[in-house]
Amino acid sequence: MPARERRKLTDAAIVRLRPRAREYTVWDNNVSGLGVRVRPTGGKTWVLLEEIGVRTKRVSLGPVSTMAVAEARRACHERRARPVAAETPEPAPPKPLFREFVEGVWKKGHFDRYKPSTKKSVRSFLTARILPAFGSAPLDRIAAAEVRKWFDAWSRSAPGGANKGLEILRQIMNFAIARGYIEKNPAQGIRPNRRPKLTRFLSREEIARLHRALDAETGKGNRQLGLRSGE
């Protein structure tokens, strides 16, 4: 970065400043942060560097044609005598309620792409279990502990249904992350219920009885077919 161009600014010296191919600024040796900005068109403006919080901001004091050097320096001192409040970022807009997100952004971006049969199933889970539990909560205020408590309670009566509900909730929250509404998925990390394992198999005797019964039914069907054919 080139060094700042500094000189003792006087009214006569400012008149002699000539435009260049690019805009440039000449800074005053007398008052730190005060300068004259010269545009390629020939326009000249007083500028001042102000410290606002941890940032430095360049502000305009007006055209050189309306303010002499002494006036510009006085305006500079007056501005610096007044405390400048640090700029505070605008508060982020409130996050939508879970119900609003589901019925708006998620429905349009995801749900509407489902097949009719899938829509019917997912809508049933939403209406019966998911929206009653989380619908009125702001999207970013749904905690992992709440999700786990909801899942555990449902799992005691319908573990398979709880698994499906958790899967739908997790997908909705992942979509919210992708759209920038939240940073973490409160449904992540919860393990679904394990399916019951088969612990008993047919014995050889039971398999033999099953085969005899199937053979008997097959023969009976053939005899009935023969009677109908002979009629």
Side-chain angles (χ1 to χ4, degrees):
M1 180 180 293
R4 288 182 177 178
E5 186 175 344
R6 297 180 179 276
R7 68 178 68 175
K8 181 180 180 180
L9 292 180
T10 64
D11 293 329
I14 293 172
V15 171
R16 291 194 295 269
L17 294 175
R18 295 289 179 261
R20 301 173 185 172
R22 294 185 178 182
E23 177 184 298
Y24 69 98
T25 302
V26 178
W27 301 97
D28 188 19
N29 278 337
N30 190 308
V31 177
S32 175
L34 178 65
V36 176
R37 180 172 55 193
V38 184
R39 300 184 183 277
T41 58
K44 301 173 185 177
T45 307
W46 288 107
V47 293
L48 175 65
L49 296 179
E50 284 189 339
E51 292 184 0
I52 302 177
V54 296
R55 299 191 304 108
T56 300
K57 182 179 180 181
R58 180 181 294 202
V59 297
S60 174
L61 298 180
V64 167
S65 59
T66 62
M67 190 180 301
V69 172
E71 294 174 305
R73 289 173 177 158
R74 185 164 56 250
C76 174
H77 292 310
E78 288 175 355
R79 287 182 67 94
R80 287 177 172 171
R82 300 193 301 266
V84 180
E87 291 183 344
T88 55
E90 294 184 4
K95 295 294 189 295
L97 300 181
F98 180 82
R99 181 184 302 276
E100 295 171 344
F101 178 77
V102 167
E103 296 174 350
V105 177
W106 181 76
K107 179 181 181 299
K108 183 178 180 181
H110 199 91
F111 179 83
D112 287 347
R113 301 178 183 179
Y114 286 153
K115 296 184 298 184
S117 58
T118 305
K119 285 183 179 180
K120 182 178 180 180
S121 173
V122 172
R123 189 181 291 114
S124 175
F125 279 93
L126 286 170
T127 304
R129 291 284 186 165
I130 301 176
L131 290 177
F134 307 109
S136 60
L139 192 61
D140 60 336
R141 296 298 180 87
I142 299 175
E146 296 177 70
V147 176
R148 181 172 292 279
K149 182 179 179 181
W150 165 80
F151 176 73
D152 289 345
W154 190 0
S155 297
R156 285 193 286 271
S157 59
N163 284 351
K164 181 61 178 178
L166 179 66
E167 178 185 337
I168 295 172
L169 178 61
R170 185 176 293 157
Q171 190 283 319
I172 293 172
M173 289 304 191
N174 281 336
F175 194 77
I177 293 174
R179 291 300 179 93
Y181 285 90
I182 57 175
E183 295 181 359
K184 295 182 179 180
N185 189 333
Q188 200 67 36
I190 300 177
R191 292 185 177 181
N193 297 302
R194 301 177 68 177
R195 294 182 178 181
K197 294 182 178 180
L198 295 176
T199 57
R200 182 180 181 279
F201 298 92
L202 294 178
S203 65
R204 290 183 178 181
E205 182 181 351
E206 289 172 328
I207 293 174
R209 288 204 305 268
L210 175 61
H211 285 171
R212 288 195 296 270
L214 291 174
D215 290 341
E217 289 297 321
T218 302
K220 185 187 300 182
N222 290 336
R223 288 195 296 273
Q224 291 175 349
L225 181 59
L227 288 172
R228 286 196 298 270
S229 300
E231 290 178 353

